Amino acid sequence: MNNRVKAIWHKVMASDVGRRMARGSFWSFTGTAAARLIVLLAGIVCANLLGKEFFGQFSMVKSTINMLIIFGGTGFGITATKYISEYKKNDPRKVSSVYCITNSFGLASGLAVMILVFCFAAALAANVLHAPELTSAMRMAAIVLFMAVFNMTQQGTLSGFEDFKSIAINTFIGSLFQSVGMIVGGWYYGVEGAVLGFGLPFLIMLVLNKWAINRNFSKSGIKLDFHSVNKNDLKILYKYSLPAILSSMLAAPTLWVIRALLIRHDGFLELANYEVGESWRAVILFIPAALTQIILPILSSVQNEGKNKFWRVTNVNILLNGGIAAAMALVVCAFAGYIVGFYGQQFDDKYSVMILALSTIFSSVSSVLGVALSSLAHMWTWLLLNLLWAAIAIGLTNVFLSIGMGALGAAMAMLLSYLVHSINQYVVLRIVTRGNA
């Protein structure tokens, strides 16, 4: 067995793409895991310091920040990743141009989100969070958002250079300061202090990321020059960035609508059953999500080397991500009865947990296929496919809930929608790669 593993490892490391995937996977996974663990432990300490009610308020502000980060920063970040990885070896001017465009618009996007949230902080606190006392915390969150949105764009640049080591180290350092900041801020100044402690480390990450970006440009022999931008380069904003932003805005509202439908049909008790399965779904998807981060720059850089190599890399990642999700899902299914028992005697719906666990297989596969389409710059097509997924997920949820399936129905809707989404993306990807050499 050991000899077989060694043989596979030597075969992987003998390939340029294999080495890049192994290196990227290591740093992406370890960096993400370490950072999340530190923040998780700090959250436990914060909960004890703040108390249940104030910790709930802090968590709501933090989740609002995380949601708005996705809206503001994701599109420009993956645009930087795609085009920098594609042109870094053969078109230095284009790399400089893409960096200037994406980081300028990422900065502008962060400013816009900050101004909007700051101006409407009172309305958000009173009407959305139903907690007017969180107005000052939301104003602090606005400043945090500016730094966090721009941080995502910077990380997209580093991903384009495949510098996952710097991303991992910088994120880990930021998480250390974030954990200390949350605890110290929460101890002295309550919710507002915890929010400030959560946000200030993004400033540290901005500085560290900028150093890493400058180092990568210097190492690649590429000169940063704002005069390198021309009119044609700006087309990436509506051809790539805009549909990427719109796609990133779909998932959270879709999942929110599914939860709202479940509450309307069956109440909060069934939602509680569903949330148990969602929690374990998130656990299963942790590793595949970390691995997916490395795929875009690699596929973007090999797309011009022929469709056979492109599909080899894609298929390997489908098998890897889908296989990891399947293995973890089967473990969760096997122990689903025990898992729901941990949540208390009122929880007895192990089948929803099992179905949501199995849905991660298709969710992981669809993520890889979505990144493959992104690497080929078929972003509007990808957006349409994501819209179709959202419609199917919501539609099936409504149908299953109307016949009294409760949380199990919502879970089945997720499973079937991701299955259809995977098939649709695979078929479209085959069509768009048909003409490649």
Side-chain angles (χ1 to χ4, degrees):
M1 183 67 179
N2 287 335
N3 290 334
R4 187 176 179 183
V5 171
K6 287 180 180 178
I8 294 172
W9 175 251
H10 288 309
K11 187 176 180 180
V12 168
M13 298 307 291
S15 161
D16 174 61
V17 172
R19 287 195 301 273
R20 289 158 64 191
M21 286 179 60
R23 185 170 58 247
S25 298
F26 171 78
W27 286 111
S28 181
F29 173 69
T30 54
T32 303
R36 288 198 180 185
L37 178 61
I38 291 170
V39 174
L40 175 67
L41 294 175
I44 294 171
V45 176
C46 244
N48 283 277
L49 289 175
L50 295 173
K52 190 173 183 179
E53 182 178 353
F54 290 128
F55 180 70
Q57 292 180 350
F58 168 59
S59 298
M60 194 63 208
V61 173
K62 190 171 69 169
S63 65
T64 303
I65 292 172
N66 289 332
M67 180 180 70
L68 292 174
I69 288 172
I70 295 172
F71 290 171
T74 304
F76 299 114
I78 68 168
T79 303
T81 300
K82 188 266 187 294
Y83 287 104
I84 289 175
S85 60
E86 183 176 346
Y87 294 114
K88 64 186 176 185
K89 289 186 177 179
N90 52 30
D91 196 341
R93 184 207 65 80
K94 191 89 168 182
V95 172
S96 175
S97 175
V98 168
Y99 171 78
C100 293
I101 291 170
T102 54
N103 279 259
S104 296
F105 277 87
L107 184 66
S109 176
L111 281 169
V113 172
M114 179 185 74
I115 292 169
L116 284 170
V117 173
F118 192 89
C119 291
F120 293 98
L124 285 170
N127 301 321
V128 178
L129 304 183
H130 302 291
E133 66 273 18
L134 291 179
T135 298
S136 60
M138 286 302 299
R139 289 195 174 119
M140 288 181 184
I143 300 170
V144 174
L145 272 167
F146 166 68
M147 296 183 288
V149 166
F150 191 48
N151 176 65
M152 285 201 71
T153 307
Q154 285 187 320
Q155 288 191 344
T157 299
L158 290 172
S159 293
F161 284 108
E162 297 182 36
D163 190 2
F164 299 106
K165 179 179 179 180
S166 290
I167 294 174
I169 293 173
N170 295 349
T171 303
F172 179 73
I173 293 171
S175 297
L176 281 175
F177 282 97
Q178 195 172 66
S179 300
V180 174
M182 286 163 54
I183 294 169
V184 174
W187 174 264
Y188 285 102
Y189 302 106
V191 175
E192 289 85 357
V195 172
L196 193 62
F198 173 77
L200 283 180
F202 281 110
L203 181 60
I204 296 170
M205 284 190 278
L206 288 179
V207 174
L208 294 175
N209 287 338
K210 181 58 178 172
W211 284 345
I213 288 168
N214 289 343
R215 185 175 65 249
N216 276 283
F217 270 97
S218 177
K219 184 179 177 181
S220 301
I222 301 172
K223 183 181 178 181
L224 264 177
D225 183 10
F226 275 86
H227 296 292
S228 63
V229 179
N230 63 45
K231 189 176 180 180
N232 287 331
D233 295 335
L234 293 172
K235 291 178 180 178
I236 63 173
L237 293 174
Y238 64 83
K239 284 186 175 180
Y240 203 95
S241 299
L242 179 58
I245 291 169
L246 294 174
S247 289
S248 69
M249 294 170 66
L250 270 177
T254 300
L255 297 177
W256 184 88
V257 170
I258 288 172
R259 286 173 168 85
L261 287 171
L262 186 54
I263 293 170
R264 189 179 73 181
H265 280 272
D266 298 284
F268 286 98
L269 290 178
E270 278 300 293
L271 178 64
N273 285 328
Y274 180 80
E275 288 298 334
V276 172
E278 269 294 319
S279 298
W280 285 89
R281 181 174 175 273
V283 170
I284 295 169
L285 287 174
F286 173 72
I287 296 177
L291 297 180
T292 301
Q293 295 175 19
I294 71 167
I295 303 172
L296 180 58
I298 293 175
L299 284 177
S300 296
S301 65
V302 304
Q303 62 171 302
N304 295 322
E305 298 178 31
K307 69 176 182 181
N308 289 334
K309 187 170 185 177
F310 177 87
W311 271 106
R312 275 202 307 273
V313 176
T314 301
N315 288 333
V316 166
N317 280 282
I318 288 173
L319 291 173
L320 181 63
N321 283 32
I324 291 171
M328 295 181 69
L330 289 175
V331 172
V332 170
C333 287
F335 293 95
Y338 297 102
I339 288 171
V340 296
F342 293 146
Y343 290 82
Q345 293 181 349
Q346 289 182 306
F347 294 87
D348 58 359
D349 185 4
K350 68 177 183 180
Y351 296 106
S352 294
V353 174
M354 294 169 69
I355 295 298
L356 283 169
L358 292 173
S359 76
T360 61
I361 301 171
F362 304 111
S363 177
S364 299
V365 170
S366 69
S367 294
V368 174
L369 292 167
V371 171
L373 279 169
S374 300
S375 73
L376 297 173
H378 286 271
M379 297 304 288
W380 287 104
T381 302
W382 185 46
L383 173 60
L384 290 174
L385 290 170
N386 286 331
L387 283 168
L388 181 59
W389 163 78
I392 292 171
I394 293 171
L396 287 176
T397 299
N398 207 30
V399 170
F400 292 146
L401 292 179
S402 66
I403 59 176
M405 291 182 66
L408 181 61
M412 283 295 299
M414 291 293 290
L415 173 68
L416 294 175
S417 65
Y418 275 116
L419 171 60
V420 174
H421 193 42
S422 299
I423 295 170
N424 287 342
Q425 288 191 115
Y426 183 84
V427 171
V428 170
L429 190 60
R430 278 293 178 189
I431 292 170
V432 301
T433 57
R434 187 177 293 166
N436 292 3

